[in-house]
Amino acid sequence: MKLKASFLTALAFSMTAASAALAETELTVYTAVEAEDLARYAETFNQSHPDIKINWVRDSTGIITAKLLAERDNPQADVVWGLAATSLLLLKSEGMLESYAPAGVDQLDPKFVDGDSPPSWVGMDAWVASVCYNTVEAEKLGLTPPSTWKDLTDPQYAGHVIMPNPNSSGTGFLDVSSWLQMFGEEEGWKFMDALHENIARYTHSGSKPCKLAAAGEIPIGISFAFRGAKSKAAGAPLEIIVPSEGVGWDMEATAIVAGTANLEAAQTLVDFTVTKEANEMYNTGYAVVAYPGVAKPVEHFPEGLLDAMIDNDFEFAANNRAAILKEWQARYDGKSEAK
């Protein structure tokens, strides 16, 4: 009897230990998703996978991208959940991503999935550039609303425009790369030279210019439509302007970091990120998501925004990223805010 009791005790202990080990599976997840959304993302995932804990490492797109590149020989992340596709294309070219076809990936819009089989990354949603224009502050200053990107070079806006630094912000980089695509390289840099004359400062966050405009600290913030819509819904006196030349955009995407010691848990998370449930969660703040038929209108999104999205050349943006950022920094970094 004592032997049996000891055996049962040992068995119970081993089962408890196994359950504890399962419950303690942790994933380090790098992300550029808005900080206010992270708890909701983790909570939704944990409803079906309570045994996997997400430890978030969150910063702006450029900073997360630079961190991943710096850790290339000693990766610290298991998964990237919510980083610009242009950044993931760069990481893919460096051999830093684990190819994986998540269950249900065939249900996604193909333009949201890496072209390789199996894919190195899968898209989640798209965010689109726009101009946040504070009507109250602009009226105080006697400004008229711009309707084009090039309008922003008008001397009336001198010192009244804020935009993100593309070295730290994915929104800033999609702005710069889209202007180079829309206007051509020579005219694109000429435009940015003229715009620079009106810039008050460059922020290290893509959402901050719109937040500052919403708070009345600056009349014009070059940001993205999602942030503008949220601020407007909260009562900010914003007009969200879609410049007539077209607007840049990028998609948030997910990938497994090559060399992760938690591959099975990482695959479980990536499986979740492509589900209809996850895409419904993304649609809370994004009008464009990867799962067809899921997207519902987002309150205060400007009309014509989706039609204004340029035919974005992601390969151009990824392949020329380093050269573009180096040139931008040499020309304009003097107005960047302190990190």
Side-chain angles (χ1 to χ4, degrees):
M1 282 294 283
K2 285 183 180 180
L3 216 61
K4 184 176 179 182
S6 297
F7 172 77
L8 290 173
T9 301
L11 181 62
F13 177 81
S14 65
M15 290 176 68
T16 301
S19 297
L22 185 64
E24 289 169 4
T25 302
E26 297 187 9
L27 289 176
T28 298
V29 180
Y30 283 18
T31 186
V33 168
E34 290 290 288
E36 63 209 60
D37 292 327
L38 297 183
R40 179 167 57 89
Y41 280 27
E43 182 181 356
T44 305
F45 170 68
N46 285 143
Q47 286 172 3
S48 51
H49 300 284
D51 54 316
I52 299 174
K53 179 184 177 184
I54 293 176
N55 293 322
W56 296 108
V57 175
R58 193 268 166 198
D59 215 314
S60 296
T61 299
I63 295 172
I64 289 292
T65 304
K67 184 173 174 62
L68 286 160
L69 289 168
E71 295 170 354
R72 177 181 320 161
D73 297 328
N74 184 27
Q76 301 299 302
D78 298 299
V79 175
V80 178
W81 186 11
L83 190 66
T86 46
S87 291
L88 290 178
L89 279 166
L90 175 61
L91 300 177
K92 176 185 172 181
S93 72
E94 296 289 332
M96 296 172 59
L97 303 182
E98 181 82 29
S99 297
Y100 177 62
V105 69
D106 55 315
Q107 299 297 310
L108 301 185
D109 182 329
K111 71 173 175 283
F112 280 85
V113 183
D114 176 38
D116 286 354
S117 184
S120 292
W121 55 267
V122 289
M124 302 157 50
D125 49 57
W127 82 99
V128 189
S130 66
V131 176
C132 293
Y133 183 80
N134 187 307
T135 56
V136 172
E137 295 306 312
E139 185 176 0
K140 288 178 186 176
L141 293 165
L143 304 180
T144 56
S147 61
T148 70
W149 289 117
K150 291 190 175 181
D151 283 349
L152 291 175
T153 65
D154 189 305
Q156 69 170 306
Y157 302 123
H160 299 316
V161 183
I162 285 180
M163 73 164 279
N165 181 324
N167 278 283
S168 48
S169 162
T171 304
F173 182 69
L174 76 83
D175 286 327
V176 172
S177 64
S178 67
W179 292 332
L180 293 172
Q181 291 179 60
M182 285 189 287
F183 303 141
E185 186 168 350
E186 184 177 348
E187 288 301 313
W189 289 113
K190 272 187 188 177
F191 162 71
M192 284 182 269
D193 285 345
L195 177 64
H196 181 68
E197 295 301 312
N198 289 346
I199 293 288
R201 70 182 187 275
Y202 299 99
T203 68
H204 295 293
S205 159
S207 59
K208 190 172 181 180
C210 196
K211 289 178 179 177
L212 292 172
E217 294 185 37
I218 195 82
I220 300 172
I222 298 173
S223 189
F224 55 100
F226 158 62
R227 182 67 261 171
K230 291 194 79 168
S231 295
K232 191 169 182 176
L238 290 181
E239 181 181 347
I240 306 169
I241 296 171
V242 182
S244 61
E245 301 101 328
V247 288
W249 62 283
D250 203 338
M251 71 175 83
E252 290 187 312
T254 299
I256 297 172
V257 177
T260 174
N262 299 299
L263 183 59
E264 186 176 347
Q267 290 174 337
T268 298
L269 175 57
V270 176
D271 285 345
F272 169 78
T273 70
V274 305
T275 61
K276 186 176 182 182
E277 179 185 13
N279 277 262
E280 289 170 343
M281 178 180 72
Y282 307 146
N283 188 224
T284 301
Y286 291 84
V288 183
V289 297
Y291 202 111
V294 164
K296 296 176 182 175
V298 173
E299 187 183 15
H300 299 304
F301 254 71
E303 290 185 15
L305 182 68
L306 302 186
D307 292 334
M309 291 165 63
I310 67 168
D311 186 11
N312 199 1
D313 187 341
F314 288 105
E315 293 290 343
F316 165 83
N319 294 340
N320 293 283
R321 178 186 177 86
I324 291 170
L325 293 178
K326 184 178 179 181
E327 181 68 18
W328 189 94
Q329 184 159 349
R331 288 176 181 247
Y332 314 124
D333 198 43
K335 285 188 177 181
S336 293
E337 64 185 9
K339 290 185 180 179

